[in-house]
């Protein structure tokens, strides 16, 4: 089977690599010429465990191709996946202009049947807009062609993207024709997935499933963060509370860690977009509005603790921020808690040293020379009066704590992920969440 994937970001490139690895012939298309050139040279533009090896293998075996021209490949493939960005618009709704642009290009180039599948996260109703966009390009060309649209939202987690793609808990597919269903069944059979892993439904339900899943996960995080704040006030320990409620099988243990808030390229934008979809249909999303509010506040909690500790006078203090990516094993800093914290620290005239094993360059692209970029974790704490632990990289769990403490001017440690239970004994002033 031959397929095309438009957009070679986290979703497009990982999906392409995984499909190619099971024998599908995959053409990757991106408008970013520099990115395509890098990929052709064998350079992988994002960091994701296992990805480089798979891409090298598939390119060597001739099953993975990179190009900037959709028109060149579209009539040679059975299925075209759209995996371009859907960033938040100014008002928080999902901006699907990149998706519609691809749809228009498809309409301008297609000469035979094709199944166009949306992998990008798009609001309910977007597949119909994609269909209209393609049809209107056909009208301009005076052409009548049979094609199908389908929805196949992606659930991969950055940092575990390859693993998730190869062994998903479920695949959600929205279709409206037997031909589209058969093609996607064939493709996912090649991936070796069991039929009970693949959920076929109508397109609207599929589009909604993606948002509902992210909304549920974000709700659990904000719920626990709110409970954590109350724990602090009443003298309870949120970790004990988490263990206590998580052992109830109706609740489950996952996504119950209190911390300094959720970030990343998906949860913040998808929650905002779902609230907007609600408003567009006169359905106020009261819970999600609160989820977002709680999270925005949570991203400021560590800074407030720091300020309170130094009785409000933090100007001029040198501090270290550990972890810049929104979670471990990725270089993605979009909406990461560190970005909010760093902005607050700079605003308060602190001198900020940052360290992350992978995500230094994306951070430099945002803050430039306003930060000090440390090459290693010990160098980052030289003379600082506080360390903020934001991203729980494995590396931070294996440190010589006496070495860290001795280098610091004052051993204040603010843990945004609640993982260092031993630091009080190591002589730190240890502040955490909940
Ligand atoms: P990304 O920003 O990393 O990549 C998008 C790519 O699309 C870029 O390389 C860009 O150059 C390319 N592009 C834009 N317009 C194009 C066009 N007209 N033709 C060809 N290429 C074009 O985005 P991402 O993180 O991979 O996310 C893609 C979509 O998947 C989004 O809707 C996102 O919400 C969703 N999603 C992301 C994740 C994740 O963890 N990143 C998980 C699930 C779903």
């Amino acid at each position: 089977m031959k397929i095309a994937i438009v957009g070679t970001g986290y979703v497009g490139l990982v999906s392409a690599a995984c499909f190619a690895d099971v024998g599908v012939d995959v053409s990757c298309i991106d408008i970013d010429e520099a990115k395509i050139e890098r990929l052709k040279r064998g350079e992988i533009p994002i960091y994701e465990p296992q990805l480089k090896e798979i891409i090298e293998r598939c390119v060597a075996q001739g099953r993975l191709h990179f190009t900037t021209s959709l028109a060149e490949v579209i009539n040679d493939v059975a299925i075209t996946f759209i995996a371009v960005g859907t960033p938040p618009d100014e008002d928080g709704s999902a901006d699907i202009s990149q998706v519609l642009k691809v749809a228009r290009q498809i309409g301008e180039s297609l000469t035979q049947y094709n199944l166009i599948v949306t992998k990008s996260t798009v609001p309910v109703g977007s597949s119909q807009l994609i269909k209209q966009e393609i049809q209107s390009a056909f009208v301009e060309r005076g052409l009548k062609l049979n094609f199908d649209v389908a929805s196949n939202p992606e659930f991969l987690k950055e940092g575990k993207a390859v693993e998730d793609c190869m062994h998903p808990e479920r695949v959600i597919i929205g279709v409206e024709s037997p031909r589209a269903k058969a093609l996607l069944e064939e493709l996912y059979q090649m991936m070796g997935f069991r039929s009970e892993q693949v959920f076929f439904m109508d397109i609207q339900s599929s589009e909604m499933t993606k948002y509902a899943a992210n909304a549920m996960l974000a709700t659990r995080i904000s719920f626990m963060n709110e409970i954590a704040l109350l724990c602090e006030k009443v003298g309870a320990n949120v970790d004990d509370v988490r263990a206590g409620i998580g052992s109830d099988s109706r609740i489950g243990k996952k996504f119950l860690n209190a911390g300094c808030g959720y970030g990343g390229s998906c949860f913040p934008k998808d929650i905002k977009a779902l609230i907007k979809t609600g408003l567009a249909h006169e359905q106020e999303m009261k819970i999600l509005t609160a989820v977002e509010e709680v999270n925005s506040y949570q991203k400021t909690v560590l800074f407030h603790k720091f300020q309170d500790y130094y009785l409000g006078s933090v100007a001029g203090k040198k501090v270290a921020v550990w972890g810049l990516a929104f979670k471990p094993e990725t270089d993605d800093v979009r909406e990461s808690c560190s970005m909010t914290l760093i902005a607050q620290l700079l605003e308060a005239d602190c001198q900020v040293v940052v360290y992350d094993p992978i995500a230094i360059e994306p951070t430099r692209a945002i803050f430039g020379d306003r930060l000090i970029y440390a090459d290693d974790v010990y160098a980052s704490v030289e003379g600082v009066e506080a360390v903020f632990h934001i991203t729980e990289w494995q590396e931070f769990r294996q440190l010589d704590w006496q070495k860290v403490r001795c280098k610091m001017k004052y051993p204040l440690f603010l843990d945004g992920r609640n993982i260092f239970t031993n630091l009080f004994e190591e002589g730190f002033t240890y502040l955490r969440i909940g």
Side-chain angles (χ1 to χ4, degrees), residues 208 272-285:
M208 184 57 131
K272 286 190 189 83
L274 193 51
I275 292 170
K276 283 289 169 188
T277 301
L279 284 178
H281 292 83
E282 290 170 15
Q283 174 67 52
E284 194 187 346
M285 305 302 278

Side-chain angles (χ1 to χ4, degrees), residues 69 110 175 207 217 268 278 358 380 389:
S69 170
L110 215 55
V175 284
E207 290 170 337
L217 294 171
I358 301 283
S380 75
H389 170 246

Side-chain angles (χ1 to χ4, degrees), residues 6-12 29-32 35 46 83-87 98 101-102 105 119-122 154-158 210 214 265-266 269-270 326 332 334:
V6 190
T8 57
Y10 288 88
V11 168
I29 300 108
D30 206 292
I31 40 165
D32 185 337
K35 203 180 230 185
I46 53 167
V84 298
T86 48
Q98 292 179 33
K101 208 169 151 195
V102 176
Q105 278 182 297
K119 256 205 179 298
S120 302
T121 305
V122 291
E154 183 52 62
F155 292 91
L156 61 76
K157 302 182 285 296
E158 286 178 28
K210 171 67 193 176
N214 277 359
S265 67
C266 290
K269 88 171 166 63
D270 292 350
F326 83 95
D332 196 345
R334 289 178 281 184

